[in-house]
Amino acid sequence: MTDGPPESSPLAPGAYVLGVDSGGSGLRVALGRADAEGPLFTTVCAEPVRTGAGGIDAAHLLEQLLPAAAELLGRAARDDADAMDNAPAAVAALAVGAAGMATLGERLRAELPGALARALGVRRLALAADAVTAYAGAVGQRPGAVVAGGTGMIALGTDLTEWHRADGWGHLLGDSGSGAWIGRAGLEAAMRAHDGRRGGSPALLARLHAVFGPAEGLPRLLYPRPDRPAVLASFAPEVAACAGADEVAADILRKAATHIAEAAAAVCPGAGSEAGHRTGHGTGETYEVALTGGLFRMGEPLLGPLREELARLVPQARTTTGTGDPLTGALRIARALAVDGLRLPHHPTMLFVETGDGPSAEVGARVRTGEPEPGGVPPEGPGKGPANRATDADTSPVGHSSDISG
């Protein structure tokens, strides 16, 4: 990650950058310096940005972002001993990471560049899928991969020439190994024990009773809920708690680890690929696979078998626990964009970049899995909303995957 502007950078001294993370729990905004790591100030807008038939509501995002940006810039001006005559601070670049950006972000890409140029004077703008900001927060601008797990699960990798995506398709079509997947498998094993069928777990049945009440009432509690993925994921920690003494629970976590490792292997910089040879990845060089999100807070019952599977499937990878979250990633992307140092692959929907002269010409980078273009059906279906995403607002103790999905 570039720490400061190159000598040719046109940045004004002390220029600011803004990073934005839009998810199910609201909008988080961070202000930082273009020439220094880390945020100066952050703020949270508690209302999630609306999503409708036209995609993510650009006007609603601006209603929250602009006052938040003004507040942060005002705090920075008051805190800056070098500020003179309360002159407005310059915003050199801004990056927005949002859940559903790739499939639901057409209005943002059409409306935000002009609106932010008028309101803040910012002409360098990046609009990213939240999986991309998760990658930037966890890995930075190096080749590698990130697995973001919570209620949902997605893996994203790059060799710095193209994005590679696996899963993140929602609890009906994928999210294999996620909190929702683990919770559903645990509840199924509990119901098998209730019925006396093979493969049941009396230990998980006891936990079902403790958490949800009588087993016969579970369908009535679960099926009408619009937040079914989060309800399913709320049972995942119970599976992890039983795994030490219950073979059925332990096997569920082993299978989850296999699914997660397979997704990570699918997106790691390609051994033997043309891109891998160009970048030197594919020659035995190690690279990072970062695990980020609340799913991995379940600890060793999941992490132990996951490390084993990753070592078997991607022995060239170095597994780490991602320390930077998607808001950190958005701020890093904004800082890199401000100093002409953005090396992550540009893409029309995954990482859309506007520099004041129209969208970046570097829009040829591909998502290897064939990411849908704007207006495509989101992973959970046309009516996808915050309740159907893996979000910061999830009730599940496994937490969030930064709203990871399309």
Side-chain angles (χ1 to χ4, degrees):
M1 182 62 61
T2 302
D3 293 325
E7 291 183 5
S8 60
S9 172
L11 283 179
Y16 293 112
V17 292
L18 283 163
V20 181
D21 178 43
S22 176
S25 64
L27 202 71
R28 299 189 299 156
V29 186
L31 178 74
R33 295 281 190 189
D35 58 357
E37 284 285 341
L40 295 172
F41 303 103
T42 62
T43 190
V44 177
C45 308
E47 184 180 0
V49 175
R50 291 190 292 264
T51 299
I56 301 170
D57 190 330
H60 191 222
L61 187 147
L62 287 167
E63 286 173 13
Q64 299 187 70
L65 172 57
L66 294 180
E71 173 200 340
L72 295 177
L73 289 166
R75 289 168 63 184
R78 290 190 296 271
D79 194 64
D80 190 347
D82 297 328
M84 299 176 60
D85 300 323
N86 294 319
V91 179
L94 188 152
V96 178
M101 178 71 81
T103 49
L104 297 170
E106 186 171 8
R107 288 179 61 182
L108 298 188
R109 291 184 286 271
E111 299 177 28
L112 286 191
L116 292 170
R118 291 188 296 271
L120 298 175
V122 60
R123 297 188 178 278
R124 294 187 174 212
L125 174 68
L127 302 178
D130 58 347
V132 172
T133 52
Y135 184 97
V139 180
Q141 294 201 90
R142 303 182 301 276
V146 64
V147 179
T151 296
M153 195 282 295
I154 189 172
L156 191 72
T158 183
D159 50 19
L160 301 187
T161 65
E162 64 179 353
W163 290 107
H164 306 161
R165 168 184 175 160
D167 217 332
W169 304 123
H171 76 293
L172 294 178
L173 298 177
D175 286 354
S176 301
S178 67
W181 187 95
I182 292 170
R184 187 209 56 77
L187 289 171
E188 180 187 357
M191 297 305 290
R192 284 179 171 274
H194 173 267
D195 295 345
R197 289 180 287 156
R198 188 171 60 180
S201 166
L204 290 174
L205 178 60
R207 297 313 305 154
L208 185 160
H209 289 158
V211 174
F212 294 109
E216 297 88 342
L218 184 60
R220 184 174 64 253
L221 289 173
L222 181 63
Y223 292 144
R225 293 283 293 264
D227 58 344
R228 283 188 302 276
V231 177
L232 291 170
S234 71
F235 198 68
E238 304 294 339
V239 178
C242 291
D246 183 76
E247 182 56 31
V248 173
D251 187 58
I252 290 171
L253 294 184
R254 283 193 295 268
K255 290 177 179 176
T258 298
H259 286 307
I260 295 168
E262 287 172 348
V267 303
C268 283
S273 71
E274 179 183 353
H277 284 301
R278 285 200 306 270
T279 61
H281 291 267
T283 59
E285 184 176 345
T286 61
Y287 47 81
E288 182 176 355
V289 174
L291 308 177
T292 184
L295 179 68
F296 303 110
R297 289 198 291 269
M298 287 198 294
E300 281 303 305
L302 176 63
L303 291 176
L306 177 55
R307 282 192 292 264
E308 292 177 5
E309 283 297 306
L310 287 170
R312 183 176 67 86
L313 293 177
V314 280
Q316 70 273 37
R318 176 173 56 88
T319 305
T320 65
T321 301
T323 55
D325 67 0
L327 183 60
T328 300
L331 197 61
R332 285 179 170 176
I333 289 172
R335 183 173 291 113
L337 186 59
V339 301
D340 295 322
L342 185 59
R343 300 192 299 275
L344 295 175
H346 301 188
H347 184 270
T349 60
M350 293 289 286
L351 182 55
F352 173 89
V353 176
E354 171 70 60
T355 60
D357 298 319
S360 166
E362 298 180 65
V363 295
R366 296 177 291 112
V367 177
R368 193 176 65 195
T369 54
E371 181 67 41
E373 291 302 309
V377 178
E380 286 86 353
K384 176 186 175 188
N388 292 326
R389 293 195 293 261
T391 73
D392 291 342
D394 287 340
T395 57
S396 165
V398 301
H400 66 280
S401 61
S402 74
D403 303 318
I404 296 297
S405 58

